[in-house]
Amino acid sequence: MKKLIKIGIALVTLLIIALVVVYFMLGSIIKSGVESAGPELTKGEVKLESANLSIFGSGGIKGLEIGNPSNVESKFASPFAFKIGSVDVKVQIGSVTSDKIIIDSILIDGAELCWDGMKGANHQKIMDNIEEYIGSSEAPKEGEEESKEEDGKKVVIKLLKITNTKIHVYILGQKLPSLTLPEIIKENIGEEEGGATMADTVKVVYESLFDGVKDLVKSSGNILNSAKEKLGETLKDATKSGKSVIDDATKAGKGAVDSVKEGLKSLNPFK
């Protein structure tokens, strides 16, 4: 009997150790996956501080930062594109090893987003990069058969909720007053299609955020007025700068002419 108890204790101990290993391994897999796949999608730096997913399906990520895309002619003035302090996720754990991952909820609270230009040029570029990635990944390579739509992991998100997002607006390289994005709720993402690909899921989530911010910036009188003031100041400074350059050139030209005249006088024997 004592031997059976010892065996039972040993088995339970091994099970607990295995669960702990799985718990931490899932987090490292998520982190490495995000940091390797993210830049391919956005063409910018993607960092993730930590991630965890328990064997019961609850978990989250901490310290996610999406940088501005680097495939542009000139750098953006804003320091980053999107930053999230933390995200709470609830997954149907049994679906993780299947072809279709079911996510019951993704709750994002207190994120920060930098909107560069009135039309959000940095996020528009990210959207273009995601679109290009999806197109290139779906197109069959030379000598390969066309990939089937059902191949690969699919995702269904029952609920996506984004709250208390702070929008930092940058116009003409200058930071304007920040805005707060109204709550965004999306339900049953990928449900009708029987699951969406990972890339398509990212696209849907990002488009929801992009459209929400775009509408907010357009409708914000304060941002529009600040942008006009900033544009006016920039034009005024440019005009002053141009006038100063012209004045300096005129003075320099007049000085050169006077110097030539003085030189000629000194050579004039009839003076």
Side-chain angles (χ1 to χ4, degrees), residues 74-91:
S74 58
K75 288 186 177 181
F76 294 103
S78 52
F80 58 86
F82 193 53
K83 185 188 290 186
I84 304 173
S86 62
V87 181
D88 291 325
V89 182
K90 180 69 176 177
V91 181

Side-chain angles (χ1 to χ4, degrees), residues 109-139:
D109 185 66
E112 294 181 72
L113 184 146
C114 290
W115 188 260
D116 215 307
M118 286 301 295
K119 295 183 178 180
N122 55 339
H123 292 280
Q124 184 62 64
K125 188 62 178 176
I126 289 175
M127 290 296 304
D128 292 343
N129 289 337
I130 294 174
E131 190 71 47
E132 183 180 348
Y133 177 87
I134 292 173
S136 62
S137 63
E138 289 178 349

Side-chain angles (χ1 to χ4, degrees), residues 51-120:
N52 65 76
L53 179 63
S54 76
I55 57 171
F56 304 107
S58 61
I61 62 176
K62 182 180 178 183
L64 174 66
E65 182 173 325
I66 300 173
N68 284 319
S70 58
N71 60 332
V72 290
E73 293 182 2
S74 58
K75 288 186 177 181
F76 294 103
S78 52
F80 58 86
F82 193 53
K83 185 188 290 186
I84 304 173
S86 62
V87 181
D88 291 325
V89 182
K90 180 69 176 177
V91 181
Q92 293 183 17
I93 198 65
S95 69
V96 172
T97 55
S98 69
D99 292 333
K100 183 168 70 175
I101 300 173
I102 309 296
I103 302 175
D104 287 326
S105 62
I106 298 177
L107 308 178
I108 301 173
D109 185 66
E112 294 181 72
L113 184 146
C114 290
W115 188 260
D116 215 307
M118 286 301 295
K119 295 183 178 180

Side-chain angles (χ1 to χ4, degrees), residues 232-252:
E233 289 173 5
T234 302
L235 291 173
K236 188 177 179 181
D237 291 341
T239 302
K240 283 182 179 179
S241 177
K243 185 176 182 301
S244 176
V245 169
I246 292 171
D247 289 343
D248 290 343
T250 301
K251 288 178 183 178

